Amino acid sequence: MKRFFLVGLSLFFSINSLAAQEGRFVQKDNIFPRVEIVTSMGSITVELDRSRAPITVNNFLTYVSDKSYQGSVFHRIERDIENERDFVIQGGGYDKDYDGLHENDPIFNESGNGLKNDMYSIAMAYQDREPHSGTRQFFFNMDNNDHLNPNKDWGFAVFGNVMDGYDTLDKIMTVETGFNEKISYDFVPKTPVVILNIKLLEQTPL
């Protein structure tokens, strides 16, 4: 019995050592961690901003740490056709079959942090008229979307900016889209654009 307990105990610790790390402990002394988002159409390097959006960055890094973005897709590639301008590329919430992925608890909306929804910034998505409902979905601003910034109402919290891979985002923006019955949404790519991995990059020495 004692031997069984010791084996069980060692197994317990070995499993826990493999558990995902909470985002707040990921490069916890790095105010501007960087990640590489590897997609089926190329890679994007993003610098996150803990100084302005600590809750949102740490939440995002939790999902990165547990590798739950692997195999998710960009389900929304939207152009503002009326004004002939690009709008957003959104993803991280569905798999290739457009089934919803596991969500952690919603987070507080940090849209009042001074960061703007300018072109090539990354921001946290939330459900309509529920500003504190953001969990795992994020989007790239593909134009200066001033109307997404807070005004009388809550805006969308920007938590970083693209440093490299602008060409990848521009290429994704050209993908053919249409209505998807499963998620009842327009602007869904007809050929899935897959997030193969999101990798934390090594901290750059100061």
Side-chain angles (χ1 to χ4, degrees):
M1 178 65 74
K2 187 179 294 185
R3 186 170 185 173
F4 176 81
F5 174 77
L6 290 173
V7 171
L9 192 63
S10 65
L11 182 61
F12 172 82
F13 282 113
S14 65
I15 290 171
N16 273 275
S17 67
L18 297 174
Q21 200 172 22
E22 281 187 48
R24 62 196 174 104
F25 297 117
V26 175
Q27 292 186 4
K28 63 180 181 178
D29 298 322
N30 188 2
I31 298 174
F32 301 105
R34 291 190 176 193
V35 297
E36 180 184 12
I37 303 174
V38 183
T39 82
S40 55
M41 296 185 69
S43 295
I44 308 150
T45 300
V46 178
E47 183 175 85
L48 309 174
D49 190 342
R50 270 194 176 117
S51 69
R52 297 289 189 90
I55 296 171
T56 313
V57 169
N58 290 340
N59 173 74
F60 179 76
L61 288 176
T62 296
Y63 288 105
V64 170
S65 176
D66 71 11
K67 301 187 183 302
S68 71
Y69 283 127
Q70 289 185 6
S72 63
V73 297
F74 289 111
H75 67 278
R76 177 185 185 186
I77 300 174
E78 183 172 352
R79 293 197 79 248
D80 180 351
I81 298 172
E82 184 178 335
N83 295 303
E84 297 184 346
R85 58 190 287 271
D86 294 337
F87 183 34
V88 297
I89 296 172
Q90 183 171 329
Y94 296 94
D95 64 18
K96 287 182 285 189
D97 297 319
Y98 294 102
D99 290 322
L101 296 167
H102 167 76
E103 298 178 341
N104 296 330
D105 291 338
I107 60 170
F108 178 78
N109 185 324
E110 294 181 296
S111 61
N113 60 18
L115 297 175
K116 304 299 184 184
N117 283 275
D118 291 339
M119 190 166 181
Y120 296 127
S121 62
I122 186 172
M124 173 59 61
Y126 61 75
Q127 297 175 29
D128 290 344
R129 293 179 291 279
E130 295 183 32
H132 304 294
S133 63
T135 55
R136 61 178 295 143
Q137 289 191 34
F138 58 90
F139 64 89
F140 291 102
N141 285 290
M142 295 304 293
D143 205 326
N144 294 329
N145 295 317
D146 294 339
H147 64 289
L148 300 184
N149 296 324
N151 195 342
K152 294 179 181 178
D153 297 317
W154 293 87
F156 291 84
V158 172
F159 62 100
N161 285 284
V162 173
M163 307 303 290
D164 194 18
Y166 309 103
D167 55 335
T168 297
L169 286 171
D170 292 342
K171 187 162 54 173
I172 292 172
M173 201 70 228
T174 66
V175 168
E176 186 178 2
T177 63
F179 181 77
N180 184 288
E181 291 186 2
K182 189 165 186 177
I183 59 175
S184 298
Y185 202 76
D186 280 312
F187 314 110
V188 178
K190 293 186 176 180
T191 299
V193 181
V194 184
I195 298 172
L196 304 174
N197 194 15
I198 301 184
K199 303 185 294 187
L200 182 71
L201 299 179
E202 280 191 37
Q203 186 171 350
T204 305
L206 296 176

